Amino acid sequence: MSFRSIGVVYRKELTEALRDRRTLISTIVVPLLLFPVMSVGFASVASMLVGKVKEETPKVMVIGGADSPAVLASLRKTEKADDKLDLVPAADNWKAQIIDKDVRAVVELPQGFEADLAQQKDETVKIYIYGGELKSGIAANKVEKHLDEYRDTVIKDRLAAKNLPASVLKPFEVKQQNVAPAEKVGAAAIGGLIGYMVILLCMTGAMYPAMDLTAGEKERGTMETILSSPISRTDLVLGKFSLVLSASLATAALSVTSMGISFWVADHFHAFDLGKASEDTLHLQIGFGAALSVFLMALPIAVLFSAALFTIALFAKTYKEAQSYLTPMTFLIIIPAVAAMLPGVDLTPKLALIPILNVSLLCKELIASTYHWNYIAIIFASTCVYAAAALFIAIKMFQRESVLFRS
Amino acid sequence: MIEARDLCKSFQDKKRGTICAVDHVSFTCRPGQIYGLLGANGAGKTTTLRMLATILEPTDGTATLCGYDVIEAPEKVRANVGFLSTATALYPRLTAQEMVEYFGRLNGLDESTLKNRVNEICSRLDMDSFRDRRCDKLSTGMKQKTSIARTLVHDPPIMIFDEPTLGLDIMTARTITAFIRECRDAGKTVIFSTHIMSEVEKLCDTIGIIQSGKLLTEGTLAELRAKHGEHDLEEIFVKVVAPHYVSEGTN
């Protein structure tokens, strides 16, 4: 093995890669833009849209209620601006109006509702909605809130009539209190997503150079040219592989940096404050240590992806053929990466040996600044073994005439 | 000097089984001479030359180039060979100069030697006007000159040309044939394959006729004329090849 030869090949491949628009887009532009767009952009837009919907006064139709003026008054009562309901008169086509989104919800009050309540009879108020429709759901929630308040008033009156205190029905309060630091709360919410994004971007960063340096070289007719030079095939593979790895790592580094900056910006401008009380607001700051650990864990996975994609693309005769081989690979990688985001999926000794899933799960913990050193060691070592095996196969495949000159 | 001894190459094909592309081919090419390997399409010329250039490994037999064995010391063989064919393309995103420099570095030239060598070749091949232009922006003639410069940058004693004029216009083809002659005049060992009779008649000191992977006959043009009782090389070729000829579609 000659480091000089590997360096010569690497320098040449780097020069070509920096002149290739596709490689530049997948390596630099995508990671730099994806995280800011996802975090600041998406969260701001989502926050804005949800806030807007909440501020809207929904049209609610009331069926019945002519004999229940107190309930209607309760529905009309407005304590806060976003509690307001726009009550519309009953119509026979109320179902069609819900489906056509002319009204967001319909409340059906039983006949003689207030009289029945006075006699302490059981009654049910129905709220008809457009299932799965956000605005309809929000309208129904607002209606329920008004009815809950009215129910509380009825209960209070009944207890007062029997000279009982209100605490009879609520002997104690239950309150949830968060004790986890802000960054851990944020990490629990989005840690899995970050691992997933880093893994996916490591792969997309390696994908285009891997195809260009193998199938692309065959397609352009330069494979025979380079094979006629005195460089050994192992050195040639290592030079090319180093470039693919660099692209993958550059993508990972840029994505980790970009996500750190964009979450800081998002946090700074309260992009994740979805109208909650300030103590419940997600604080999505990622520390330098967490970002560095995610990047370090991305190292062996980048080697694994680079070698695996390089080997697979080597079988293809053309760039197009390589794309058709590598596109299904994206799904193979997405599945374990997404599995890490599922609720309740946490690191276990067995899961720590499953490639991709293990790193994705670990990233979730690293973002929360939780360091299980035994898992880190197992995952780093196992991923290194997989990566070394993939690189070994890549070198072996490059020696095979049936792969290089497949016809 | 090139010495091929019982070179064999077979490939496995899922439908056709084992295909013998080169079958016990032996010949010798000497410095200062041009050896022409003449054959129809699919005769085994490219496979033979690829084995000499160590791009393919022989399944049996061997060859030595400048005393280095193609199986035991392939990298040393390649360091002594300049290989040019229509299949050896240029890197489109490199400039002509970068392309030549890349191969110079791969051949172990140090930076100062490389600089002098590149300047010398660019000036000799009249490449100065386009040496800074990217290869994908070059005309066919410019590309051929760059390919020649690429094969010459390390001044190899052996030159292998695999159908170098295939698909080229007459002016570009003449540049290549002139270059082949220059190589011989410079004392290099030259072997080239073609199926164009006129090129062989004009260039070759020794001619080998190959068909179905077998070297059927070889000698100087005069020797072949005497041996086969024909004056015209095309007639000699047909006479030698016809009993062994299987059209490409038949297989």
Side-chain angles (χ1 to χ4, degrees):
Chain A
M1 197 169 78
S2 154
F3 286 107
R4 184 190 176 273
S5 300
I6 295 170
V8 168
V9 174
Y10 179 80
R11 258 177 63 191
K12 174 261 167 189
E13 298 297 359
L14 182 65
T15 308
E16 279 214 293
L18 292 174
R19 290 173 188 171
D20 180 31
R21 204 181 301 151
R22 280 178 299 194
T23 305
L24 288 180
I25 288 173
S26 70
T27 312
I28 298 168
V29 179
V30 169
L32 277 182
L33 290 182
L34 198 61
F35 274 114
V37 167
M38 262 189 59
S39 54
V40 183
F42 182 75
S44 304
V45 169
S47 167
M48 193 184 75
L49 288 177
V50 173
K52 219 174 172 184
V53 169
K54 281 184 174 176
E55 278 170 19
E56 251 181 42
T57 304
K59 272 189 181 173
V60 175
M61 186 186 285
V62 182
I63 299 174
D67 49 8
S68 305
V71 184
L72 288 180
S74 166
L75 287 172
R76 282 196 191 96
K77 200 171 76 181
T78 314
E79 278 174 6
K80 287 182 203 162
D82 57 3
D83 281 351
K84 204 175 167 190
L85 299 174
D86 180 8
L87 298 183
V88 296
D92 290 340
N93 64 341
W94 58 269
K95 268 190 189 172
Q97 287 202 36
I98 292 178
I99 293 164
D100 294 343
K101 299 178 182 174
D102 290 334
V103 293
R104 295 297 176 187
V106 170
V107 192
E108 188 183 6
L109 297 171
Q111 212 174 358
F113 180 56
E114 280 181 22
D116 287 347
L117 287 180
Q119 289 169 30
Q120 300 201 3
K121 283 184 185 170
D122 282 346
E123 277 300 351
T124 307
V125 177
K126 284 185 180 165
I127 304 171
Y128 299 99
I129 58 163
Y130 188 138
E133 212 270 321
L134 180 70
K135 289 184 177 179
S136 185
I138 289 175
N141 286 343
K142 286 184 179 181
V143 171
E144 264 191 58
K145 206 174 160 192
H146 282 275
L147 291 173
D148 284 348
E149 278 169 16
Y150 180 71
R151 186 167 51 195
D152 289 347
T153 318
V154 172
I155 291 168
K156 258 186 210 165
D157 290 347
R158 284 180 184 177
L159 291 171
K162 292 187 177 176
N163 289 321
L164 291 169
S167 61
V168 162
L169 288 179
K170 220 174 185 182
F172 60 88
E173 292 278 343
V174 178
K175 198 179 173 190
Q176 290 186 7
Q177 182 88 43
N178 170 45
V179 292
E183 75 271 11
K184 288 192 191 276
V185 175
I190 53 131
L193 178 71
I194 288 169
Y196 163 77
M197 291 309 301
V198 169
I199 287 171
L200 193 68
L201 287 167
C202 263
M203 199 200 74
T204 54
M207 194 186 259
Y208 287 100
M211 290 193 286
D212 193 52
L213 268 57
T214 52
E217 185 130 13
K218 284 187 195 176
E219 191 173 3
R220 292 188 292 268
T222 48
M223 188 62 95
E224 199 164 319
T225 316
I226 188 66
L227 291 177
S228 70
S229 79
I231 187 171
S232 78
R233 290 189 185 175
T234 303
D235 291 349
L236 187 56
V237 175
L238 291 176
K240 284 173 174 285
F241 162 80
S242 304
L243 191 273
V244 179
L245 178 64
S246 300
S248 177
L249 289 177
T251 310
L254 287 174
S255 61
V256 171
T257 312
S258 162
M259 95 191 158
I261 295 171
S262 50
F263 283 144
W264 180 83
V265 171
D267 194 57
H268 195 70
F269 292 102
H270 305 290
F272 294 98
D273 183 355
L274 304 180
K276 294 178 184 176
S278 61
E279 68 266 23
D280 294 336
T281 303
L282 285 177
H283 290 286
L284 299 177
Q285 284 194 29
I286 295 162
F288 176 73
L292 187 69
S293 349
V294 169
F295 181 71
L296 284 177
M297 286 316 295
L299 261 172
I301 206 128
V303 175
L304 174 63
F305 285 158
S306 303
L309 296 178
F310 186 88
T311 311
I312 295 165
L314 191 59
F315 279 89
K317 283 182 286 184
T318 61
Y319 205 91
K320 233 178 181 176
E321 191 185 341
Q323 268 180 323
S324 66
Y325 291 160
L326 295 189
T327 308
M329 279 289 292
T330 317
F331 297 107
L332 269 181
I333 286 159
I334 284 176
I335 292 165
V338 167
M341 286 198 284
L342 296 176
V345 181
D346 286 313
L347 266 175
T348 62
K350 275 183 190 168
L351 291 184
L353 292 173
I354 299 175
I356 304 165
L357 175 66
N358 56 6
V359 174
S360 196
L361 284 170
L362 187 64
C363 284
K364 204 157 89 174
E365 301 209 343
L366 293 176
I367 295 288
S369 303
T370 305
Y371 298 95
H372 292 301
W373 291 107
N374 50 345
Y375 280 133
I376 292 173
I378 293 173
I379 292 169
F380 196 83
S382 64
T383 312
C384 282
V385 169
Y386 301 139
L391 184 56
F392 178 76
I393 293 169
I395 292 171
K396 285 287 156 202
M397 285 300 123
F398 210 84
Q399 319 276 347
R400 290 180 66 164
E401 290 170 4
S402 57
V403 175
L404 290 178
F405 300 101
R406 195 166 70 84
S407 58
Chain B
M1 172 87 113
I2 302 172
E3 283 182 285
R5 294 189 299 273
D6 285 325
L7 271 181
C8 294
K9 183 70 184 176
S10 49
F11 299 102
Q12 292 301 320
D13 186 272
K14 277 181 190 165
K15 287 179 188 164
R16 294 184 287 169
T18 304
I19 297 163
C20 188
V22 176
D23 191 4
H24 295 91
V25 168
S26 302
F27 57 84
T28 302
C29 316
R30 292 172 210 292
Q33 288 193 354
I34 300 175
Y35 188 99
L37 207 50
L38 189 59
N41 288 336
K45 307 184 294 289
T46 297
T47 308
T48 305
L49 297 190
R50 280 179 171 179
M51 283 192 283
L52 294 180
T54 77
I55 293 168
L56 296 177
E57 196 177 318
T59 36
D60 203 4
T62 191
T64 53
L65 288 88
C66 290
Y68 296 111
D69 191 281
V70 290
I71 298 166
E72 283 161 17
E75 281 138 39
K76 286 199 169 138
V77 169
R78 289 199 293 274
N80 284 285
V81 165
F83 180 69
L84 182 71
S85 84
T86 40
T88 49
L90 304 172
Y91 288 106
R93 296 191 288 266
L94 293 187
T95 64
Q97 180 172 328
E98 284 168 344
M99 180 78 199
V100 180
E101 283 172 347
Y102 179 46
F103 278 79
R105 290 191 186 100
L106 288 175
N107 278 286
L109 299 185
D110 62 73
E111 288 304 311
S112 67
T113 314
L114 180 64
K115 196 179 168 192
N116 293 334
R117 189 81 188 129
V118 169
N119 287 337
E120 182 195 322
I121 293 174
C122 285
S123 142
R124 198 171 119 205
L125 293 171
D126 202 16
M127 286 174 60
D128 286 322
S129 60
F130 63 87
R131 63 195 279 181
D132 293 326
R133 218 182 289 173
R134 272 172 56 150
C135 291
D136 55 358
K137 309 280 182 217
L138 300 179
S139 68
T140 313
M142 290 169 177
K143 280 181 183 166
Q144 278 305 323
K145 283 185 178 180
T146 310
S147 287
I148 291 170
R150 190 262 304 163
T151 58
L152 277 181
V153 67
H154 57 301
D155 195 18
I158 294 174
M159 295 299 296
I160 300 175
F161 299 94
D162 180 21
E163 303 202 73
T165 57
L166 190 74
L168 298 181
D169 64 73
I170 185 73
M171 296 310 286
T172 317
R174 279 175 75 92
T175 314
I176 301 281
T177 48
F179 169 61
I180 294 172
R181 267 196 208 98
E182 270 180 46
C183 288
R184 175 187 51 195
D185 298 343
K188 295 180 190 296
T189 307
V190 181
I191 180 165
F192 98 110
S193 74
T194 185
H195 57 258
I196 304 167
M197 306 295 156
S198 57
E199 274 184 1
V200 176
E201 281 178 326
K202 273 189 259 175
L203 287 171
C204 297
D205 299 297
T206 310
I207 302 162
I209 296 177
I210 188 169
Q211 181 57 42
S212 304
K214 291 187 171 79
L215 189 67
L216 301 176
T217 187
E218 70 169 341
T220 61
L221 185 56
E223 283 168 353
L224 292 181
R225 280 172 178 158
K227 193 173 170 185
H228 299 284
E230 295 284 350
H231 182 78
D232 186 48
L233 182 59
E234 192 172 316
E235 291 305 320
I236 296 169
F237 180 78
V238 172
K239 205 170 180 179
V240 172
V241 163
H244 305 269
Y245 186 73
V246 181
S247 73
E248 274 192 293
T250 314
N251 278 339

